[in-house]
Amino acid sequence: LPSPWLMKDMEKAVDILEKKISQKAKVRIIGDYDIDGVTSTYILMKGLARIGADVDTYIPDRVADGYGIHAHLIERAETDRIDTIVTCDNGIAAIDQIAEAKELGMTVVITDHHDIQVDEVSETEIMPSADAIVNPKRKDSKYPFSEICGAMVAYKLIQVLFEEYGIDRQEWLDMLELAAIATVGDVMKLKDENRIVVKEGLKKLANTKIQGLVSLMEKNTLDPEHISAYHVGFVLGPCLNASGRLKTAQMAMELLLAENKAQADELADALKALNDERKDMTKD
């Protein structure tokens, strides 16, 4: 896989987060309510907590909040005395909202993979005034493959942070299956590094340490030894997506964060039921 350091602003993002962690500053991750947003939020949450960050998350509600960062999320962050906002799978188009966060004195790190607006006259990229913008689609990025999902960008940020903090590489690899699930779920092209991550991530599902995924496979009667991209795209992925579509994506997040089997089983049951309900609604 290419070095994450090739991404523009990766070094800047790492420096900012190292400084904020040492200062015990409050960090909030703002994700998205689809499968890529939930998995990237989880990766950042687990990764930053592992290196000692004072971190929490907010995944917008599809109906109440809509997609991406809205002004009320910035205002909520200010009320909660958040020092630093880290986005995942969104943020590159939030020009006004990031400007407001900066005016309020917050530090903002954007991790995203969406296309960047370009000024039609000058052909320059229109980007928010964030302190660091990690997006492989930037024109000035030296990263060789731009077609990765938001969870992959988050995964790479955690890779370099773990390196900096001397954390065993295995702990980073233990989240590989989530980068794989997000890559399939967000319909990325299965070529280049995406193919590698999906191939290896599917193998890892057989002995994943994430109890929520174990329970979700069980509830959908899938054999963990033989999970294919089809099962991710049409069984597991839709269950993780269903909570953001019909209720709140927080349910999917709680499943991934579940500490014990009983809690994971209960949430996996609820997500499967929601997905079945979504299928019935689609038929209707």
Side-chain angles (χ1 to χ4, degrees):
L1 304 180
S3 167
W5 294 108
L6 293 169
M7 270 189 228
K8 184 74 176 169
D9 279 10
M10 183 62 86
E11 206 166 317
K12 230 185 243 185
V14 168
D15 288 346
I16 289 166
L17 290 168
E18 283 181 341
K19 186 175 148 202
K20 296 299 182 183
I21 290 165
S22 71
Q23 293 170 347
K24 302 277 184 226
K26 289 178 85 169
V27 179
R28 173 161 296 167
I29 299 156
I30 298 183
D32 184 25
Y33 42 70
D34 70 356
I35 188 167
D36 192 20
V38 170
T39 49
S40 52
T41 302
Y42 172 89
I43 288 166
L44 288 178
M45 176 79 183
K46 290 295 277 190
L48 289 173
R50 176 67 180 86
I51 55 178
D54 178 2
V55 62
D56 69 8
T57 66
Y58 186 81
I59 298 176
D61 182 282
R62 186 184 288 267
V63 178
D65 299 313
Y67 169 76
I69 302 182
H70 289 267
H72 67 274
L73 297 189
I74 302 295
E75 285 146 22
R76 180 177 302 180
E78 191 202 14
T79 304
D80 295 342
R81 301 197 172 172
I82 298 298
D83 175 277
T84 301
I85 289 173
V86 181
T87 77
C88 49
D89 194 31
N90 76 89
I92 199 67
I95 311 290
D96 295 342
Q97 295 83 352
I98 302 298
E100 184 182 351
K102 292 303 300 165
E103 276 169 29
L104 291 168
M106 288 180 224
T107 300
V108 182
V109 174
I110 291 174
T111 75
D112 201 351
H113 73 120
H114 289 100
D115 291 339
I116 300 166
Q117 301 171 67
V118 174
D119 184 282
E120 288 176 13
V121 180
S122 66
E123 292 187 1
T124 54
E125 290 174 316
I126 303 166
M127 291 195 287
S129 53
D131 298 271
I133 299 174
V134 184
N135 184 332
K137 292 215 168 94
R138 286 180 64 159
K139 284 180 184 173
D140 55 4
S141 176
K142 291 187 172 69
Y143 198 76
F145 186 65
S146 64
E147 296 300 313
I148 56 176
C149 66
M152 280 283 282
V153 180
Y155 190 54
K156 283 166 183 299
L157 175 58
I158 295 305
Q159 178 188 356
V160 292
L161 281 166
F162 276 16
E163 277 172 20
E164 293 284 293
Y165 280 81
I167 288 169
D168 191 333
R169 184 176 166 80
Q170 189 56 47
E171 290 194 37
W172 173 71
L173 287 171
D174 283 342
M175 295 192 283
L176 179 69
E177 50 268 48
L178 287 168
I181 286 170
T183 299
V184 175
D186 218 36
V187 205
M188 297 288 110
K189 289 174 183 165
L190 290 188
K191 63 178 192 179
D192 205 283
E193 68 175 304
N194 286 345
R195 185 177 179 81
I196 298 166
V197 164
V198 170
K199 188 179 176 187
E200 297 305 320
L202 291 175
K203 283 186 208 165
K204 277 190 93 292
L205 278 168
N207 53 11
T208 180
K209 292 192 166 88
I210 301 164
Q211 181 59 52
L213 292 179
V214 175
S215 295
L216 200 57
M217 288 186 282
E218 276 177 14
K219 299 298 176 185
N220 285 284
T221 59
L222 297 179
D223 175 5
E225 299 282 345
H226 298 97
I227 300 285
S228 70
Y230 170 84
H231 297 119
V232 173
F234 293 93
V235 184
L236 300 175
C239 285
L240 290 170
N241 258 334
S243 70
R245 288 192 170 137
L246 300 186
K247 284 204 173 173
T248 164
Q250 199 57 40
M251 277 176 73
M253 187 72 185
E254 282 168 17
L255 173 78
L256 296 177
L257 290 167
E259 295 289 329
N260 58 64
K261 191 173 188 316
Q263 187 190 7
D265 282 350
E266 190 182 327
L267 285 158
D269 264 334
L271 286 175
K272 186 180 182 302
L274 268 182
N275 192 44
D276 290 341
E277 186 187 328
R278 177 198 62 81
K279 285 185 200 168
D280 292 341
M281 288 165 77
T282 304
K283 274 187 195 148
D284 289 344

